[in-house]
Amino acid sequence: MKLMEAVAERVKELLAEKGITAYRLSVLSGISEATISDIKLIRNQSVGLNIVQALAHGMKIGLIEFFNSPLFSYENIVD
């Protein structure tokens, strides 16, 4: 799995876990709904750490919790 695929999957997981929509996350994080959609649909080859931090902050979690997933394990990411 590529890193962007893992980020997209993690965002989807957290949205479901927190019970919020991409629109609500955009309001909470200050990141546009279009950017969140682009992340979820893997339309970009990369995403800035500042964007991930803002999304995490909008979900009331830290970066440690965001990246604390088997999706980001050494064995799982290939680039």
Side-chain angles (χ1 to χ4, degrees):
M1 172 180 292
K2 293 189 177 195
L3 182 58
M4 276 307 300
E5 293 170 325
V7 170
E9 191 59 36
R10 186 63 172 147
V11 168
K12 292 177 204 174
E13 283 180 357
L14 289 167
L15 286 172
E17 181 181 306
K18 301 289 183 184
I20 60 175
T21 64
Y23 172 76
R24 182 71 182 142
L25 179 57
S26 73
V27 171
L28 295 170
S29 67
I31 302 300
S32 74
E33 189 175 6
T35 298
I36 295 169
S37 178
D38 287 346
I39 291 168
K40 288 173 50 183
L41 296 173
I42 315 168
R43 289 190 181 135
N44 302 325
Q45 293 301 309
S46 65
V47 62
L49 192 55
N50 59 326
I51 300 292
V52 174
Q53 190 276 332
L55 295 175
H57 183 77
M59 291 184 266
K60 300 191 182 336
I61 63 172
L63 287 174
I64 291 172
E65 187 174 343
F66 183 90
F67 289 111
N68 186 19
S69 166
L71 291 167
F72 299 104
S73 69
Y74 177 80
E75 299 82 19
N76 196 37
I77 301 295
V78 293
D79 270 334

